[in-house]
Every structure is written in structure tokens, then in C-alpha cells.
Amino acid sequence: MALIIYNTLSRKKEQFEPLEPGKVKFYVCGVTVYDFNHLGHARTYIVYDTVRRYLKSCGYDVTYIQNFTDIDDKILNRAKRDGTSMAVVAQTYIDAYYEDMAKLNILPADEYPRATETIPEITDFIQQLEAGGYAYPANGDVYYSVRRFPDYGKLSGKRLADLEAGASERVNETELNRKKDPFDFALWKAAKPEEPAWDSPWGAGRPGWHIECSAMLRSRLGETVDIHAGGEDLQFPHHENEIAQSEAVTGKPLARYWMHNGFLNVLDKEGKVEKMSKSLGNFTTLRELFKTYPPMALRMLVLKTHYRNPIGFTLDLLDSALAIWRDLEEVLQLGSWLEAIGQPLEGQMLFDPWIADFQNAMDDDFNTPEALVPVIMLYKQLGSRYHEVVHGKTLAEPEQFAHEWRTLVYLCDILGLKAEAPIVREVALLEPDIQVQIALRQQARDNRDWAEADRIRRQLLEKGIVLIDHKHEPTTWRFE
RNA sequence: GGCGGCAUAGCCAAGUGGUAAGGCAAGGGUCUGCAAAACCCUCAUCCCCCAGUUCGAAUCUGGGUGCCGCCUCCA
């Protein structure tokens, strides 16, 4: 089986073949750092983290680059509002980004280039465009001349003629006057008073959004990357413009495969979409969510839907994902449990049908909902054993168990599903007291004093300890 | 108006020509003093509608309806 990826450029599933055998250059458009990350960001980066992990598991040497846009009107507005500088706002939310993504078990990028640290490359890029006749200055701004690039629209399937119909009153008037054509976009923006600015051949100013990515990508990964990815909203105009800029200069394809993930929309009580656009003032931050849900529940939710389909986010959906995650996490924690009680798992992972099913699903354009099936089958199968172990029984067929458990851990690692460390250390401290309580309750039960027995059970439950009665064996317990 | 996508059970969601994966929820059962946990069982004669192609379609074609995204900053 070979990996197949849906390429936005061709609108078809294509066999994946990197430019250089064994190596994958992967560029993902990062966030503009002017606020905390919301659920939608989480989806995008969970998706590409999973793609990256899978590529690695296939043996590819993956270089993963993700930028930060740290120059932007929205950041400036935020700085103004908070009475601080653009640099401070940017750094604040970059730090927050790292924190949130770490909780989702998203691997750090190999590098996080920032626009403000790439100015020389950007101005250099613009000069090359100018030299090639693709860019022209106008009152301190520099614009890209869209009509000079014949392939413009090839990614998004838009033609300039179609766009013309949509050209509306929404265009900024000052810009319109400077542009030769309404579809031209800014490569460089002349400095405005009291705003951060960098020197350039066209005077002080700052780069436009699209050129940042073209320059950062080229500086880190060269002229052509294997995979260029981002949210579906970036398809047009952002990625279209990146292609126009980069390919005009290099004459080579910017990316071999373009991947775009569907949106995660929060649904309101009537089930209507409330897009998480911050300009509409509606978004749910990750840190808010993580106060009440484990981050892995969100990761599970994202994995449960194919990455190109939209997700209508509701709390019910999250609860459903959480239910799966809770069971799965218990089983994943088993290794630690066994170690804690002196029965460490011996045995290796073996290649077996579970892995084949998983790989077939992932090979088909990263079909994670399908790939989750063997994972769920495995943990269901292992789950009953988990309870035997936690209830103090000796594990039967430990080698077979170990092999399956390691397979599960391996698959979960590719999906980025990571269990919290189980609370086992406190057991030694609690154990004697709990045994006393269990004995007292057993006495009550023997006396058919159900009220007292239930009182003790309830009391322990308040401490998070659940009792499990058995028919012929003493009562055992576990954490809630 | 232009471009694109989607429509599968109460909910979520795979499946793209051979007779409907999986999950959540729900119901029933075993067990229990009662619970909890665990385990077992059940849960779409049918895939938005109509027409067509085919021995055969949820899957292909045409038409229709509904929802969504992009066309403006957005993951």
C-alpha cells in the first residue's frame, strides 16, 4: 500500500512521492498572534501534527516548518487596546500558542520563523519580483501585478474574470487608487505614523501578509516543498498569492501537494454555525476548554472526522469523544499500573492485522476515522484485562497481552493520543486506610446493615475511591 | 452573481459498483443486598428526492431540493 494524498491543486487523490526520496519538506501556515488560540486552530494543527507523525512512522525524514505572523493590523490594534507594543502582544500569544499546542500533544515544529525576523529575505524577494516585472511601487507601497502571472487562480479554481463579478465596494479606497488593478495585492505597505516599520528600498514600511510566507518558506525549505498546508480558508487568496509570488520568481512549483483542512465551527443551541472568526467576536479559546475537558478529548474529536470535512462542534460531540478517550486512556495507562504493582510488561510489539488496517486507512488520504477502528477494537479487547489487573488479579497470557498493548501504544503515538501518567504513587499511602474501611463495610454487610455499608461506600466515593464488590472474593477498589 | 464542497440510524461518522464499519446514546440480560464496574445481546431491508445506466448503485450519469465554505482579515 502506498500513501495517497488529496491534492487541492489537482482536486484529486494522488500517490505521494516526495521530491527527494525519503525526505519530506512540510510547510504549514501558522497563526497570526494577536489572541489566544481557539478550537479551530487546534483542529488545523492536530491534523497536520498527525500527518507529520504518520509520515515519520512511514520512515520519512520530515522537516516541519510553521511560521508566526507577527506583523499585522490586528496585532497593532491589540497593542493599542492593551497599551503595549506589537512585539509584546506577539510574544505573549506565541508563548500561549506553545502552551496550548503542547497540551494537545502537538510536536513542536522544527523551526518557527517569524515575519519580523525575515525582513531581509522578504525585501529581497520583493526586489526579485520587481526585477521580473511582477511588482510595482506606488507611494511607498509595493503591489503584485496579478495579471502578469498567467496561472493566477490555478489553486482555487478562480478566474480573474469570475473574481471581477465579486469585486465589490469592500475594497479599501486608498489602496484602490494606488493599485493598477483591483486584484493586485500588497507586498509592502508604507509605514504609517507611530507604527513599527523597517527600512526598505521603497522607504520605511512593513511586509504584506502573503509575501511573508513565500519568503519564510523559501529561506527554510528552498524553492519547492513537498507539502504545503493550512486551513481551507487560506486557499484563496493566501495560497494563491503565495504561488503567484514564488513561482514567478523561481519558475518552479511552490509545492507538490497542497492540503487544506475543513473548518471546525462552533454550533449554537439551534445547531446553527457560528463561525469562529474573531472579527465576529465569537470564539472559544483552548485554555477555556481545557479548564473542564482533557485536551486529548478534543484531539479525539478531531480525529473522529476526516480532515477535509467540516466539524460542527457541540458539547455533546465533545462528550462523545471524551467517553472514548477515557476508556482508551485507562488501557494506555496499564503499562504504568503493571509496573507499579511489580508486573511489568515483557514483550515486543509485533506487526499484525491491526497495524495493517491502521496503515491502509491512513494511506488513504489520512482517513483517521477509519484508522481509529483498529485502535478501538484493540482497547476494547484489552479493556477487560485492564480491569482484571487493576482489581488485583494476575494477568493471564502476559506475552500476548504485552504484544497487543504495545501495538495499541504504537498506534496511539502516531495519532498523538497520549495518556496522563496514572495516579499510582498515592496508593501505598491510601491502601491501609482503605482496607480498614472495606473491612468495616464488610462487617456491616454481613450484619445486613445496608445503610451503614452504603454510608461507608459513599464516604469513600467522595474521596474519589470506587468500591467493586465481587462474588467470591474480597471487595477491591479503584480511583474514580 | 461566480467557484467549490456536503447530504448515510436519536447523535457523530466510515464506506465511491456486489448487497450498510465503528463510536456515543438507548434498550435488554448476566452479576449485585442495592449499586458501580465489567461482560453478553439488540439497535438503518436501507443510504435527501426523481429519472437513467447496469445482472447489480448509498456508490456512476442527468435533474431537483436542502445545508455549508470561499470570492474581504481568518486555521
Side-chain angles (χ1 to χ4, degrees), chain A residues 267-272:
Chain A
L267 302 186
D268 65 17
K269 287 179 186 105
E270 280 103 52
K272 286 195 171 173

Side-chain angles (χ1 to χ4, degrees), chain A residues 155-219:
Chain A
L155 179 67
S156 55
K158 295 180 192 303
R159 290 163 298 171
L160 282 174
D162 295 335
L163 288 169
E164 234 148 316
S168 64
E169 327 72 45
R170 294 178 289 198
V171 182
N172 176 307
E173 228 172 88
T174 321
E175 279 201 346
L176 195 57
N177 292 337
R178 294 178 184 177
K179 288 178 183 177
K180 288 182 183 167
D181 187 291
F183 304 113
D184 292 349
F185 56 89
L187 297 165
W188 189 262
K189 296 177 181 179
K192 290 177 198 154
E194 295 182 33
E195 284 187 357
W198 288 263
D199 287 331
S200 83
W202 315 278
R206 55 189 171 93
W209 177 39
H210 313 298
I211 194 70
E212 292 172 13
C213 275
S214 278
M216 288 189 266
L217 183 153
R218 186 166 65 148
S219 73

Side-chain angles (χ1 to χ4, degrees), chain A residues 148 172 178 214 286 357 377:
Chain A
R148 285 275 293 115
N172 176 307
R178 294 178 184 177
S214 278
L286 293 172
D357 286 352
M377 295 303 208

Side-chain angles (χ1 to χ4, degrees), chain A residues 160-424:
Chain A
L160 282 174
D162 295 335
L163 288 169
E164 234 148 316
S168 64
E169 327 72 45
R170 294 178 289 198
V171 182
N172 176 307
E173 228 172 88
T174 321
E175 279 201 346
L176 195 57
N177 292 337
R178 294 178 184 177
K179 288 178 183 177
K180 288 182 183 167
D181 187 291
F183 304 113
D184 292 349
F185 56 89
L187 297 165
W188 189 262
K189 296 177 181 179
K192 290 177 198 154
E194 295 182 33
E195 284 187 357
W198 288 263
D199 287 331
S200 83
W202 315 278
R206 55 189 171 93
W209 177 39
H210 313 298
I211 194 70
E212 292 172 13
C213 275
S214 278
M216 288 189 266
L217 183 153
R218 186 166 65 148
S219 73
R220 300 313 195 280
L221 295 169
E223 293 178 332
T224 299
V225 295
D226 292 298
I227 303 174
H228 192 142
E232 64 180 358
D233 55 321
L234 260 30
Q235 203 179 112
F236 187 91
H238 185 56
H239 289 161
E240 197 70 71
N241 291 353
E242 275 188 59
I243 288 175
Q245 294 162 343
S246 296
E247 298 190 2
V249 165
T250 67
K252 293 176 184 160
L254 209 211
R256 293 166 63 78
Y257 303 88
W258 287 88
M259 292 180 69
H260 293 96
N261 62 284
F263 261 40
L264 181 154
N265 296 305
V266 174
L267 302 186
D268 65 17
K269 287 179 186 105
E270 280 103 52
K272 286 195 171 173
V273 171
E274 285 189 39
K275 197 184 161 191
M276 240 173 315
S277 164
K278 296 179 186 179
S279 50
L280 294 176
N282 163 58
F283 64 96
T284 312
T285 62
L286 293 172
R287 39 200 59 208
E288 198 68 33
L289 187 81
F290 294 164
K291 285 179 188 166
T292 39
Y293 284 89
M296 284 301 111
L298 180 59
R299 185 151 188 144
M300 179 59 82
L301 182 153
V302 168
L303 259 16
K304 265 165 55 67
T305 301
H306 185 90
Y307 77 90
R308 283 190 278 118
N309 291 154
I311 294 177
F313 180 92
T314 61
L315 246 27
D316 280 349
L317 205 59
L318 224 208
D319 286 333
S320 168
L322 177 64
I324 302 171
W325 172 241
R326 285 242 187 274
D327 289 348
L328 173 56
E329 186 180 35
E330 274 190 345
V331 177
L332 288 173
Q333 288 170 335
L334 206 101
S336 314
W337 264 110
L338 288 169
E339 231 156 82
I341 62 172
Q343 277 192 53
L345 281 170
E346 312 271 346
Q348 299 298 309
M349 181 190 86
L350 299 173
F351 186 89
D352 64 19
W354 302 116
I355 296 179
D357 286 352
F358 180 87
Q359 288 177 340
N360 285 337
M362 291 299 279
D363 277 346
D364 183 14
D365 195 29
F366 309 103
N367 191 336
T368 53
E370 188 78 10
L372 237 21
V373 171
V375 171
I376 289 168
M377 295 303 208
L378 261 175
Y379 90 66
K380 292 246 170 192
Q381 188 167 312
L382 293 169
S384 53
R385 317 288 296 283
Y386 164 87
H387 293 280
E388 289 172 17
V389 172
V390 174
H391 297 170
K393 293 180 187 166
T394 306
L395 195 59
E397 298 179 344
E399 271 186 35
Q400 173 67 13
F401 186 92
H403 147 148
E404 288 180 357
W405 184 76
R406 290 199 192 284
T407 301
L408 181 68
V409 170
Y410 169 75
L411 297 181
C412 285
D413 185 55
I414 294 173
L415 295 175
L417 294 167
K418 186 180 171 190
E420 299 281 332
I423 316 161
V424 287

Side-chain angles (χ1 to χ4, degrees), chain A residues 448-462:
Chain A
R448 306 184 69 80
D449 183 356
W450 311 127
E452 174 64 6
D454 290 349
R455 191 192 64 77
I456 294 171
R457 183 167 64 191
R458 219 176 306 120
Q459 195 178 303
L460 285 170
L461 186 61
E462 278 167 25

